[in-house]
Amino acid sequence: GSKALDALRLLRKDPKMKYMLFYPAAFALAAVFLNSFVGGEVTKIALSAGDYDDDGSSYVGILSALVPLVAAIFNLLLAYTSLGHITQKGYFMLAGALSYMVAPILFLIIPHLEQWNFVMIASLYCMMGIGRAVYEGPLRASFAVLFSSN
């Protein structure tokens, strides 16, 4: 209760908050889309046809494991590039935001789920891993820097 009200007050009073709001919203929407639609529907339709033996749902666990795996690898890259500078952080945050845009763009280009295959679906999970790495690292660090006085 009170934490939600505090967050709403901060959103209303602090002008920096309106710029920080969109990345967490994109993260949430991408996670819901990936887990419900891609994991629940696309894998069943795309991976049940052709060379795959079952209804495709057995691949969801493997595909879901790609997100934290790619996030861990991308976080190593972020750490290796010494992400302490705010200018570098901006480039990585842009890459993370763009990774969330891959899924809707691919579904606009290839709307028929029967045309999808394992590699295409895995690429969506990898893009989510990149976005998650940025969400868990540079974005949280940016929040900490911008709101250190609060």
Side-chain angles (χ1 to χ4, degrees):
S2 68
K3 287 189 178 196
L5 291 175
D6 289 342
L8 289 174
R9 272 189 226 105
L10 183 62
L11 177 62
R12 193 179 80 232
K13 290 183 179 182
D14 195 326
K16 297 176 283 192
M17 272 306 293
K18 64 182 174 188
Y19 300 111
M20 300 298 285
L21 182 67
F22 294 103
Y23 201 96
F27 174 76
L29 290 172
V32 167
F33 180 77
L34 192 71
N35 292 327
S36 63
F37 181 66
V38 176
E41 301 297 323
V42 177
T43 55
K44 288 179 186 173
I45 293 170
L47 301 183
S48 65
D51 299 332
Y52 306 99
D53 293 334
D54 61 3
D55 68 351
S57 60
S58 62
Y59 294 97
V60 174
I62 295 167
L63 291 165
S64 296
L66 286 175
V67 175
L69 175 68
V70 171
I73 292 168
F74 199 73
N75 267 323
L76 289 174
L77 173 68
L78 293 173
Y80 180 74
T81 58
S82 52
L83 196 59
H85 306 307
I86 193 74
T87 56
Q88 286 179 323
K89 207 177 287 183
Y91 292 125
F92 284 108
M93 288 177 67
L94 178 62
L98 292 175
S99 71
Y100 292 141
M101 293 176 55
V102 169
I105 291 171
L106 285 177
F107 279 101
L108 287 173
I109 295 170
I110 308 166
H112 302 290
L113 303 183
E114 300 82 17
Q115 295 176 324
W116 284 74
N117 60 38
F118 184 83
V119 173
M120 295 165 68
I121 295 170
S123 70
L124 296 177
Y125 283 87
C126 289
M127 290 294 106
M128 183 65 184
I130 291 171
R132 181 174 175 184
V134 173
Y135 179 80
E136 300 292 345
L139 181 73
R140 287 189 177 193
S142 296
F143 269 98
V145 168
L146 289 172
F147 297 104
S148 61
S149 63
N150 295 351

